Amino acid sequence: MRLVLFDCDGTLVDSAHLIHEVMARTFEDFGHARLQLAATKSIIGLTLDIAIARLRGKAHVDEEAQAMTAHYKKIFMGVRAEPGYREPLFPGIEPMMRRLEREDDMLIGAVTGKSRRGLDAIRVTHGLEKTFLVSRTADDCPSKPHPAMVSECCAETGIDASRTVVIGDAIYDMQMAKAAGAQAVGVAWGYASVPELVEAGADHILREPAELLQWLELADA
């Protein structure tokens, strides 16, 4: 058996514009300058409070970061309901996931900096309610690149990290995978560049979702 763990934002769904709009409004509501999209993209994948602290140039989460985190969560679903701020699947993701679901020797999971509520919303929106056998979110574990999300999924499924693949678009995903002893697979369609993913430890780069099953088969050969 092999455990395949997916990041969510930037890997399965294109959520950058939604996350950026909520983050930008949060910063404005607290009297800070509106963020640039590139700044928001650089922290996608981190747990929200840590992401906000970093965007403010802080090494640690302080009281304002905690307050901004609560505000972000409060307004998130309202912004998501506005026209133009849904989180669509990237092209090719749905058929790739359906193919994976039919593989008897693979278990599928999610490891995401989203909240449990955020992940559940994605699952419902895109018909993925039964896809993930196991999942860990920002509500369950320390922020990436800490290996806990991967290690706990491995423990829950009984699959060793050496038989686990983490697929993500962020350097934090690659670092998390390597820290847990799993294989790290980067995706070229997400928010970090391919050189950044390689430097962070990616064992392979997927140029499009359809390549995943072929790569998994070759990796097992």
Side-chain angles (χ1 to χ4, degrees):
M1 295 293 293
R2 185 185 283 275
L3 177 59
V4 183
L5 298 174
F6 288 94
D7 168 57
C8 190
D9 296 314
T11 302
L12 298 179
V13 295
D14 189 1
S15 52
H17 289 285
L18 170 61
I19 293 171
H20 174 66
E21 184 61 25
V22 181
M23 192 70 78
R25 292 187 194 184
T26 297
F27 269 65
E28 288 179 320
D29 290 345
F30 276 75
H32 299 291
R34 185 176 176 88
L35 296 169
Q36 297 295 313
L37 178 59
T40 302
K41 283 185 174 181
S42 73
I43 53 78
I44 292 177
L46 294 173
T47 300
L48 183 56
D49 56 351
I50 293 176
I52 289 174
R54 288 198 183 181
L55 286 171
R56 292 175 51 246
K58 303 293 184 179
H60 304 287
V61 176
D62 58 13
E63 289 186 4
E64 185 175 31
Q66 292 174 344
M68 292 174 73
T69 298
H71 185 72
Y72 180 106
K73 291 180 178 180
K74 179 181 179 180
I75 69 173
F76 182 88
M77 285 300 181
V79 178
R80 188 175 187 268
E82 295 178 12
Y85 289 114
R86 304 297 286 178
E87 299 168 280
L89 294 173
F90 282 102
I93 291 295
E94 183 174 9
M96 179 266 289
M97 297 299 285
R98 300 311 177 200
R99 286 193 62 193
L100 274 181
E101 289 173 346
R102 296 195 294 268
E103 297 294 320
D104 293 333
D105 60 345
M106 293 184 194
L107 302 179
I108 306 172
V111 284
T112 175
K114 280 186 174 299
S115 66
R116 176 63 58 181
R117 181 180 70 161
L119 177 60
D120 287 346
I122 292 297
R123 295 171 75 168
V124 171
T125 299
H126 297 295
L128 300 174
E129 296 97 324
K130 298 181 180 179
T131 300
F132 302 121
L133 177 69
V134 62
S135 61
R136 290 296 186 275
T137 72
D139 295 331
D140 308 312
C141 295
S143 179
K144 301 174 183 180
H146 193 286
M149 289 187 185
V150 177
S151 299
E152 290 188 14
C153 287
C154 290
E156 183 173 331
T157 58
I159 297 180
D160 191 82
S162 63
R163 296 290 299 166
T164 299
V165 179
V166 177
I167 301 169
D169 76 300
I171 60 173
Y172 316 114
D173 298 311
M174 305 300 99
Q175 294 167 344
M176 175 179 67
K178 304 309 282 187
Q183 289 182 291
V185 174
V187 303
W189 57 83
Y191 306 142
S193 69
V194 169
E196 287 173 324
L197 295 172
V198 171
E199 185 177 355
D203 297 301
H204 183 72
I205 300 293
L206 297 175
R207 300 292 172 174
E208 57 183 33
E211 296 176 2
L212 177 58
L213 271 175
Q214 181 181 11
W215 180 81
L216 288 169
E217 291 169 359
L218 290 173
D220 273 343

